[in-house]
Amino acid sequence: MEINQEQWNSVCMDRRRYAAGYTGNSFNSDAADSEYQRDRARIIHSASFRRLQSKTQIFSIGDSDFYRTRLTHSLEVAQIGSGICEQLRQRYLDNAEYSAWIPSLSLIEAVCLGHDLGHPPFGHGGEVALNTVMHAHGGFEGNGQTMRIIGRLGEYSPEHGLDLTRRTMLGLLKYPVLHREVAHYELEAAGTSSNIDYARPPKCLHDDEAEILDWVLEPFTAEDRSRFRTVKAVTGRHSKALFKGFDTSIMELADDIAYGVHDLEDALALELITERQWKSLVMAQVEAMPDSPLCREADFYHNKLFSGSDRDRKHAISKLVHYLVSNIRISEQPEFAAPLLRLQAEMQHEARQLLDILKKFVLEEVIRRPQVQALEFKGQQMVVRLFATLRENPQRLLPSAYLNQLHASPQPQRVICDYLASMTDVYATRLYHRLFSPDIGSVFDRL
């Protein structure tokens, strides 16, 4: 059944705790924004958000006090996301429909600040490690854990987690499919090997979060719901979700910009990238893009990025971010009726091409370098061993709150997974050493 604009605005503000949904008599923008301000406040004041300050972005916590953690990354994604929305608002002043659906500052900040709440210790390496032990029990994936935190585990509601509005939860829903719908593992690769690449998770929600997914998508028509959950089969690999919501598309662009540009800044500041690498792997490709700022102002960017000055480097990075943000437009997916699914934020082709070059450069020259991979590998091994030990010795080693949940849960593996996923890098490392290092550990230790 089709619903009108006012009804849409109302269901966007529903919270799961209130069975009757939003109780206001009529919609007004101030009331809507106050609900999203509450979402933002709940995310900022949650334990999961605070723990991001000690979770890996790229580099291991403690290597330097300069580079980004998951927390500073999330703050930057929120700032970029709000900048994208403001740019779109100015661009589409004369388009009433587009203007009506561009998220408010409070809403987009809530979505961007919350997008990494579910990331486990040791970054994507920790994610693979947890999926190694969970792929037969509904899976583990960072965004899936984010939805679990906001819908079940967060501290603001006994049964519904952070109890955010429906639209904020839709914005945080990056992959509207369940693990069992997209998973395909080469399990013959499993065994006693320390290489656990076979367990890289699909982009999905855990099977346990089916009820949350149904609630978020409930207001849409049956046709929109079915189409939104469409997957693309990939031979011999995990299938992929095809669609995301409007707010999610803005958040993901902000996330991509932060990853491709700000993580590049970290690598430059720590002198992990040489001028020769920059010229041969980035500038050689950019020469074929005459409208790109790196091509038009090649000397400016080279001199600023490699001057050794924080101020010069920040000047270049800020200009690059501005270029990418200003090249974002609204497009449409005409197969959807609902505006929140039909509208999409999209980066223009050449800007997108440049961002992809930068992201690949960071991936190949920084993230995949052996020094970084060694730290990721060490974190993976710690997570796998901690899981096995806690699973085999819950009475002795689990905190009482988790032990009570484990006794009451039909999925004891999920309870231990939640405990490990909530840990910071520092907490997980201390627990590991407390259990396995002979000369470390005291009854007076505070993890």
Side-chain angles (χ1 to χ4, degrees):
M1 181 180 69
E2 292 291 337
I3 58 178
N4 61 33
Q5 175 81 39
E6 184 170 331
Q7 290 170 319
W8 263 117
N9 289 323
S10 179
V11 299
C12 282
M13 292 185 286
D14 284 353
R15 296 179 189 272
R16 294 175 73 218
R17 183 170 47 171
Y18 307 119
Y22 179 64
T23 55
N25 294 322
S26 62
F27 170 78
N28 67 74
S29 58
D30 291 337
D33 200 53
S34 68
E35 293 295 312
Y36 301 134
Q37 287 178 36
R38 182 180 299 180
D39 287 351
R40 180 179 59 188
R42 288 184 173 188
I43 289 169
I44 289 173
H45 294 292
S46 69
S48 297
F49 185 73
R50 290 195 303 277
R51 289 180 184 128
L52 296 179
Q53 67 187 306
S54 292
K55 292 195 177 187
T56 296
Q57 173 64 12
I58 291 182
F59 305 108
S60 180
I61 303 300
D63 284 348
S64 165
D65 62 2
F66 174 83
Y67 59 79
R68 289 153 174 90
T69 65
R70 286 277 170 190
L71 180 64
T72 55
H73 167 76
S74 296
L75 294 171
E76 288 175 338
V77 173
Q79 185 277 320
I80 295 170
S82 63
I84 292 172
C85 289
E86 186 58 31
Q87 185 267 139
L88 292 176
R89 238 183 303 279
Q90 294 300 315
R91 183 175 298 280
Y92 295 105
L93 281 173
D94 297 329
N95 189 315
E97 183 190 29
Y98 288 5
S99 296
W101 288 105
I102 295 171
S104 68
L105 176 65
S106 301
L107 173 57
I108 197 60
E109 285 191 344
V111 171
C112 291
L113 289 170
H115 84 283
D116 265 352
L117 289 181
H119 268 277
F122 311 117
H124 289 290
E127 181 182 53
V128 176
L130 282 176
N131 195 53
T132 302
V133 294
M134 289 302 296
H135 65 74
H137 306 286
F140 180 87
E141 197 274 339
N143 185 244
Q145 190 69 9
T146 294
M147 298 303 292
R148 185 168 174 80
I149 289 168
I150 65 176
R152 294 191 193 279
L153 305 179
E155 54 265 68
Y156 285 93
S157 169
E159 297 178 353
H160 302 308
L162 299 185
D163 193 32
L164 306 182
T165 59
R166 195 190 308 261
R167 182 165 177 181
T168 299
M169 291 183 73
L170 178 65
L172 286 163
L173 179 64
K174 294 173 70 172
Y175 315 109
V177 293
L178 300 176
H179 180 265
R180 62 175 177 260
E181 297 170 334
V182 292
H184 177 90
Y185 296 102
E186 298 290 344
L187 291 180
E188 58 269 20
T192 58
S193 171
S194 61
N195 187 335
I196 57 174
D197 284 347
Y198 74 90
R200 292 189 180 277
K203 301 298 185 181
C204 63
L205 299 187
H206 312 150
D207 290 344
D208 295 343
E209 274 52 80
E211 177 193 352
I212 295 173
L213 178 59
D214 289 343
W215 184 83
V216 172
L217 301 183
E218 182 182 350
F220 299 109
T221 64
E223 292 78 11
D224 271 3
R225 286 198 303 270
S226 177
R227 189 173 293 112
F228 190 57
R229 296 189 59 186
T230 302
V231 301
K232 176 184 178 181
V234 181
T235 304
R237 301 177 65 184
H238 300 309
S239 299
K240 296 182 178 181
L242 285 179
F243 300 108
K244 62 179 74 71
F246 180 39
D247 302 341
T248 315
S249 69
I250 297 172
M251 175 266 285
E252 287 206 316
L253 285 172
D255 193 20
D256 279 354
I257 292 171
Y259 170 75
V261 180
H262 285 146
D263 290 350
L264 169 68
E265 181 183 7
D266 281 359
L268 288 165
L270 295 174
E271 299 182 353
L272 298 177
I273 293 172
T274 66
E275 294 182 60
R276 185 170 64 84
Q277 287 173 310
W278 176 257
K279 289 178 179 177
S280 63
L281 299 175
V282 174
M283 296 307 299
Q285 296 183 70
V286 169
E287 288 175 357
M289 303 162 57
D291 294 328
S292 161
L294 288 185
C295 183
R296 286 187 282 104
E297 302 176 79
D299 290 340
F300 166 84
Y301 279 99
H302 179 270
N303 293 336
K304 294 291 185 183
L305 291 176
F306 292 95
S307 71
S309 162
D310 289 349
R311 184 178 288 109
D312 285 347
R313 186 171 54 248
K314 180 59 70 178
H315 184 190
I317 291 294
S318 297
K319 281 193 67 172
L320 201 50
V321 170
H322 175 75
Y323 164 75
L324 295 170
V325 168
S326 64
N327 274 277
I328 293 173
R329 306 287 191 270
I330 294 177
S331 61
E332 297 196 25
Q333 300 179 134
E335 58 266 46
F336 291 101
L340 282 175
L341 306 184
R342 177 164 45 83
L343 303 181
Q344 294 283 286
E346 185 177 68
M347 190 176 288
Q348 298 298 288
H349 175 71
E350 191 158 274
R352 179 78 251 184
Q353 193 176 4
L354 174 60
L355 181 56
D356 288 343
I357 290 171
L358 295 177
K359 286 178 61 181
K360 184 178 180 182
F361 181 62
V362 171
L363 176 66
E364 297 292 341
E365 302 305 315
V366 180
I367 295 175
R368 288 183 175 167
R369 64 192 298 149
Q371 298 93 320
V372 175
Q373 287 298 300
L375 295 173
E376 181 177 288
F377 175 83
K378 181 167 65 174
Q380 286 180 330
Q381 301 307 305
M382 284 195 283
V383 169
V384 170
R385 191 173 181 190
L386 282 172
F387 186 96
T389 301
L390 293 169
R391 181 72 184 92
E392 293 163 2
N393 302 275
Q395 296 290 140
R396 301 175 67 187
L397 301 176
L398 275 183
S400 57
Y402 285 96
L403 184 61
N404 292 336
Q405 291 176 36
L406 184 140
H407 289 325
S409 174
Q411 271 267 52
Q413 296 90 345
R414 182 63 66 189
V415 176
I416 296 172
C417 181
D418 287 339
Y419 177 44
L420 282 170
S422 72
M423 293 180 184
T424 64
D425 296 19
V426 173
Y427 187 107
T429 301
R430 285 178 181 168
L431 178 60
Y432 183 88
H433 285 303
R434 190 181 189 197
L435 293 176
F436 304 117
S437 297
D439 58 341
I440 294 178
S442 163
V443 71
F444 299 107
D445 284 349
R446 293 290 184 269
L447 289 173

